[in-house]
Amino acid sequence: MTGDEFENVFDDLLNGDEELKAFCQVLQEQVPQAFIQLHGDNGVVLPEVAAQPCSAEGVAELLAKTRAAGGRPVAAQGQAGEWCYGLRVDKISAVLLFSLPGRSDNLLVEPHGRQLLQGVIDYALLQQEQQLLKIENEQIFRQIAVLKQKHTALIEDNFRQYRLIQDKEKEYARTLESEIARQTAELRNTNARLEEASRLQSEFLANMSHELRTPMNAIIGFSDLLLELKLDKESREYAQTIKNAGMNLLVLINDILDLAKIEAGRIELEHAPFDLRETVDNVASLFRIPAREKKLSFMVEIAPQLPALLYGDNNRLRQILINLVGNAMKFTAAGEVAIVIGLQSLASEQAQVVFSVRDSGIGIPPERQQAIFDKFTQADGSTTRKYGGTGLGLAICHQLVQLMGGSIAVKSVEGEGSSFFFTLPLKVARPDAVVAPRPEPEGRAEGNMQAEAASVRSALRVLLVEDNPVNQRLASIIIKKQGCELAVAGDGIEALAQLEKHVFDLVLMDVQMPNMDGLEATRRIRKIEASSGARAQYAGLRNRTKPLSIIGLTAHARKEDEQSCYGAGMNGFLTKPIIRARLEAVLAEEAEACNLGRPQGPAA
Amino acid sequence: MPTAQELVRKFSDLKTLPHVALRLTKLVNDDRSTMHDFEEVIKLDPVLVTRLLRLVNSPYFGLINKVESIPKAVVYVGMKNLRNLVAVEALRNLFRGGENENGFSRKNLWIHSATVAIIAEMIAKRIFGQEGEDVFLAGIIHDIGLIVEDQLVGESLWSACAAYDPTKNTLALCEQESIGTDHCLVGNLLAKEWRLPNEVLKAIRLHHDMERKHSLGSITSILQLAEYVAGKLGYSPLVGRFDPLPDYLVRHVRSTMTNYKVIMRDLPSEMAKAKDLYETDL
């Protein structure tokens, strides 16, 4: 494609004389007095109506001369003596003829005249060029205007997009918020459900504990009673076996329930001042006799710099120690068992106490040392068969130590012995802190408790309120054996009925009963005692100088159970299963109090 | 004889615009779309990314620093240019193949379309002070109906081509005779499916309407001007044959002749630029 092709695209649309006309017009404006004629190559002659610069013949001759002159101007003199000029203008493809009337000299002879002529023509041509440039300029301006529009549009669009993004972000934030709200609500629900499930589980545990302990109580209690009878050797052996098996089972049940409680997060640690030496001595005292029987040396070492009183859960600590020492005794056939208590550090009332229980027993193979703290695991399966036990003891110890903020570990060489040690952070108590009374031992320690010889507690009138017939019977026998008078009621309503007619020194009140439970019955009794009118209707309450002694019997040794017993107005409580020794102790205490409180003395 | 609708339906079953093109045109039409949305779509097509970066770094944009990130390029090029870029890419593929000796060549048609697009954009910008992007799109796509006909009713189209005589009729009229519809109607329907702007649709439908006087500066009128110039330069779909310029446009050109002369003077360099941009076979 050549440049010409592009330039000639619109030629068809043109008459071809626009350019010539424009040129002609400019020249006429420049030199108005001149005669001008343009002869286009396409045959056009301009201006259409104008005076001839010279005669027709002259024009024809001048045209021919000019065309032959090759771009140089040509001059010719007309008949009237005037000069006519011809010039080929390539740019507009035409020949220009012109004359200047009134001038009789040949301009072309003068160099200035020639230049003048050329100048005028160039000017006219430049005019056309200028027109083109002007249009070009206009086009550029239009395009600039378009760019400006686009620029404005871009800015507007940017703003629009900015707003859009903002909106989207807001929407996103809203969605996020509602999503978070939804999930939070869901979590709350789940949490509530879990809490409910956990509450139910814990309730179940409490009930289970009650349900399991009640028959165990009967088994142990009655085999105990059986052993007091005159029996032949064989029967005595059978009865002893039943009692031992029952005690073992009770320990096992207590372990399982304990572990379940710990895992359910249902265990509450005490934080009370206690005497560590006393606790350790107490544990040691349980094992001195068995150690002697197995011919083991039994040693207790307590670092002298250990503070006298510490804050902590005395009972749970005892439990851990009993467990560890019990294990040590179990797995050691010869040599020694030792309890060593050391002080790792003592800083600003905070003591790190290291407990260790060492034995020279069978030891634990290294690959099993980690697993023994897991549930239901002993050093190997054969251990259970040979030594018995549940494998729960160490798991409970592990959990309890963790709960107390410490850690437990073992060092052992197979065949040489094991050493269990744990460290507890314990706060130092001031020497004047009130030491909580050491509760009666429970569980495995109970086996070592022997009932004191029954003293005659004549005329202590006892009302036993208990719904379970087996428990009723067991308690009745124990109480009667103590020489007390006994009446029995099956629930709170019956108990109130008994109090209407009879006088009692002591009420043993089961907490969990149908119809009216022990707590409600106690509350009623206290209410009656408080109103002289009501009191008059109850023979059992009418003439009392001090409130009737009511001891609760509860299957749950939980803190809240204890609190609800006292809250209802009880004077004390005993945990079930009823431990003979404790019941006897309560009876003895009460008899003493009554003897002091009643000048007339018990009726013989 | 098939209707325009039938042809378009059949053609759409055969050939579809690339997914990217459809999504981009949708985005251009959506007031709620952001540059970010464009970015996401363009990223899917590596060829498009290359073209986009080439375009934004071409002398056409005259940027001092080289642009190498897609989001930046998208902002510089703008939504409509982006749409055109995609359209050129998509149509180039539709215009491939189909060479035959029946006086109809897809390659010729492609060169014709590209030339018309470039000239039309120049006229829109320089004479009417318009942004030119929609006009360019109309130019590149105005004869798409011919491709549809070539694909589906080739022989009828070829006989229409043979019957076409610029002094007596238009190609569209000949198509009506032999096919029962024409590429203006078919192209209009197809472009409608692609959701192109209404002005573009109208121009596709009317670009062979020589009877009516279309308003100066409308896409239709600019398309007719550009078609004439392209034809004069030898770039008509059927070489040597093209419609004469309608009278209203002849009058317009005469009255602004210098303007058109300037455009013609700059056209060769613009075409060279476009060739570089779009890699068209000009």
Side-chain angles (χ1 to χ4, degrees), chain B residues 98 100 102-104 150 153-163 178-179:
Chain B
N100 58 64
N102 301 289
F104 183 82
D150 184 43
V153 287
E155 292 199 13
S156 308
L157 173 65
W158 304 329
S159 64
C161 289
S178 68
I179 303 173

Side-chain angles (χ1 to χ4, degrees), chain A residues 54-105:
Chain A
C54 48
S55 67
E57 300 81 44
V59 166
E61 197 187 325
L62 187 57
L63 262 178
K65 269 190 188 168
T66 309
R67 283 188 176 129
R72 277 182 296 107
V74 175
Q77 199 158 26
Q79 286 151 350
E82 81 286 1
W83 283 91
C84 263
Y85 310 96
L87 181 66
R88 164 79 190 169
V89 187
D90 281 336
K91 276 212 170 160
I92 52 171
S93 311
V95 172
L96 168 70
L97 301 182
F98 75 98
S99 66
L100 293 168
R103 290 209 54 136
S104 54
D105 53 339

Side-chain angles (χ1 to χ4, degrees), chain B residues 121-174:
Chain B
E121 188 183 1
M122 284 177 83
I123 294 173
K125 277 184 174 169
R126 289 163 174 242
I127 296 180
F128 296 106
Q130 298 173 358
E131 52 160 20
E133 274 114 354
D134 280 353
V135 176
F136 181 92
L137 180 66
I140 207 84
I141 215 165
H142 74 284
D143 274 343
I144 186 70
L146 288 175
I147 295 290
V148 176
E149 289 170 353
D150 184 43
Q151 183 83 34
L152 299 173
V153 287
E155 292 199 13
S156 308
L157 173 65
W158 304 329
S159 64
C161 289
Y164 172 45
D165 179 353
T167 59
K168 293 181 190 139
N169 50 29
T170 66
L171 181 57
L173 288 173
C174 298

Side-chain angles (χ1 to χ4, degrees), chain A residues 12-13 136 142 150 160, chain B residues 31 126 232 254 265:
Chain A
D12 292 357
L13 309 181
E136 199 176 350
R142 278 189 212 112
K150 277 192 184 173
R160 180 186 64 85
Chain B
D31 283 346
R126 289 163 174 242
K232 279 299 241 182
R254 274 193 186 140
R265 195 193 59 198

Side-chain angles (χ1 to χ4, degrees), chain A residues 155-171, chain B residues 31-32 34:
Chain A
I155 289 170
E156 279 168 5
D157 198 56
N158 267 349
F159 182 66
R160 180 186 64 85
Q161 293 199 21
Y162 168 75
R163 293 285 297 273
L164 271 177
I165 289 167
Q166 261 196 337
D167 286 356
K168 278 183 186 169
E169 267 173 10
K170 271 186 206 153
E171 205 180 304
Chain B
D31 283 346
R32 289 195 54 88
T34 61

Side-chain angles (χ1 to χ4, degrees), chain B:
Chain B
M1 283 208 220
T3 64
Q5 280 91 342
E6 280 163 2
L7 288 180
V8 168
R9 200 170 53 239
K10 272 192 200 162
F11 186 75
S12 299
D13 289 344
L14 280 176
K15 309 218 166 185
T16 52
L17 268 194
H19 189 58
V20 173
L22 288 173
R23 283 181 63 183
L24 275 188
T25 34
K26 206 176 155 200
L27 284 180
V28 171
N29 294 334
D30 186 356
D31 283 346
R32 289 195 54 88
S33 55
T34 61
M35 282 300 175
H36 180 73
D37 300 325
F38 279 81
E39 222 184 291
E40 292 295 307
V41 175
I42 288 160
K43 271 190 205 153
L44 301 175
D45 188 340
V47 176
L48 199 56
V49 171
T50 316
R51 300 245 188 266
L52 172 65
L53 293 179
R54 184 202 286 263
L55 174 67
V56 80
N57 289 310
S58 71
Y60 180 85
F61 283 91
L63 300 177
I64 297 163
N65 297 318
K66 200 165 182 226
V67 176
E68 273 166 357
S69 82
I70 302 176
K72 220 171 166 184
V74 169
V75 172
Y76 274 122
V77 169
M79 295 187 188
K80 287 193 170 178
N81 266 324
L82 207 55
R83 179 203 60 196
N84 288 357
L85 194 72
V86 175
V88 167
E89 220 38 60
L91 290 173
R92 189 212 307 274
N93 291 326
L94 290 183
F95 280 87
R96 285 221 170 97
E99 291 305 317
N100 58 64
E101 301 93 48
N102 301 289
F104 183 82
S105 148
R106 289 195 186 186
K107 193 183 170 204
N108 277 351
L109 189 61
W110 172 242
I111 297 173
H112 164 73
S113 303
T115 311
V116 167
I118 294 162
I119 297 169
E121 188 183 1
M122 284 177 83
I123 294 173
K125 277 184 174 169
R126 289 163 174 242
I127 296 180
F128 296 106
Q130 298 173 358
E131 52 160 20
E133 274 114 354
D134 280 353
V135 176
F136 181 92
L137 180 66
I140 207 84
I141 215 165
H142 74 284
D143 274 343
I144 186 70
L146 288 175
I147 295 290
V148 176
E149 289 170 353
D150 184 43
Q151 183 83 34
L152 299 173
V153 287
E155 292 199 13
S156 308
L157 173 65
W158 304 329
S159 64
C161 289
Y164 172 45
D165 179 353
T167 59
K168 293 181 190 139
N169 50 29
T170 66
L171 181 57
L173 288 173
C174 298
E175 288 168 54
Q176 286 291 353
E177 284 282 311
S178 68
I179 303 173
T181 183
D182 62 55
H183 71 276
C184 306
L185 295 174
V186 173
N188 171 273
L189 282 178
L190 194 60
K192 204 182 242 170
E193 261 186 26
W194 295 342
R195 309 194 177 233
L196 299 186
N198 280 334
E199 269 287 291
V200 175
L201 297 182
K202 192 176 164 194
I204 294 172
R205 188 161 52 84
L206 296 176
H207 74 274
H208 281 296
D209 179 6
M210 300 296 159
E211 307 301 318
R212 262 178 289 179
K213 178 182 183 294
H214 303 286
S215 66
L216 288 175
S218 65
I219 297 186
T220 309
S221 69
I222 294 175
L223 208 53
Q224 286 179 337
L225 279 165
E227 281 234 81
Y228 176 76
V229 174
K232 279 299 241 182
L233 293 173
Y235 297 131
S236 59
L238 306 169
V239 180
R241 285 179 288 167
F242 57 94
D243 294 345
L245 199 61
D247 285 343
Y248 79 100
L249 288 176
V250 171
R251 284 195 297 278
H252 159 70
V253 171
R254 274 193 186 140
S255 68
T256 50
M257 181 50 85
T258 319
N259 265 305
Y260 283 92
K261 283 203 166 164
V262 171
I263 286 179
M264 292 323 294
R265 195 193 59 198
D266 294 344
L267 181 57
S269 68
E270 287 286 326
M271 281 172 74
K273 256 198 240 172
K275 185 178 173 181
D276 195 41
L277 274 189
Y278 297 110
E279 286 188 298
T280 53
D281 306 318
L282 282 174

Side-chain angles (χ1 to χ4, degrees), chain A residues 325-401:
Chain A
V325 179
N327 273 348
M329 296 288 294
K330 200 196 287 181
F331 295 113
T332 307
E336 61 148 17
V337 170
I339 306 174
V340 182
I341 317 284
L343 185 66
Q344 194 181 64
S345 67
L346 178 64
S348 65
E349 314 224 312
Q350 185 73 40
Q352 287 282 347
V353 184
V354 190
F355 300 81
S356 72
V357 175
R358 199 174 67 217
D359 67 54
S360 56
I362 57 170
I364 304 157
E367 70 273 11
R368 301 291 300 166
Q369 288 180 10
Q370 198 49 48
I372 53 169
F373 294 110
D374 293 343
K375 271 176 281 180
F376 310 112
T377 309
Q378 284 179 331
D380 70 71
S382 63
T383 315
T384 317
R385 288 191 292 280
K386 192 167 165 193
Y387 297 97
T390 54
L392 288 176
L394 283 176
I396 293 173
C397 289
H398 179 60
Q399 300 259 25
L400 284 176
V401 168

